[in-house]
Amino acid sequence: MNEEFLMDQLIRREEISTAKEANDETRLKKLKEEISGEKEDLLKKVEHSLDEDKDPKTASENIKKIMFLARQLEDLK
């Protein structure tokens, strides 16, 4: 996974933690929407990588990213 994605995830985890500590329901909802949207975009990329590009390596990289996002969504529950 690229460094930029990992750094973004660290920052987002901090945002989640801060919002939870502050009990900021508005921010938590916005984070959930952002993460869900990003996850949906990646799912479409996986589908395209497999069906159109026949590129399982790229699909695998995006699946790993989806797993990160899924864990973040779990943290928001």
Side-chain angles (χ1 to χ4, degrees), residues 10-53:
L10 288 172
I11 291 167
R12 187 176 281 150
R13 284 221 178 264
E14 186 65 32
E15 290 177 11
I16 291 169
S17 178
T18 301
K20 282 179 129 180
E21 288 174 13
N23 202 24
D24 185 345
E25 292 299 322
T26 303
R27 183 65 184 138
L28 291 169
K29 182 179 178 183
K30 184 173 169 74
L31 285 164
K32 185 175 182 179
E33 290 170 359
E34 290 173 8
I35 295 166
S36 294
E38 189 175 337
K39 184 179 167 192
E40 288 301 315
D41 290 343
L42 286 168
L43 285 168
K44 289 176 187 173
K45 288 180 181 180
V46 168
E47 182 179 6
H48 184 80
S49 294
L50 293 173
D51 293 343
E52 304 295 324
D53 297 338

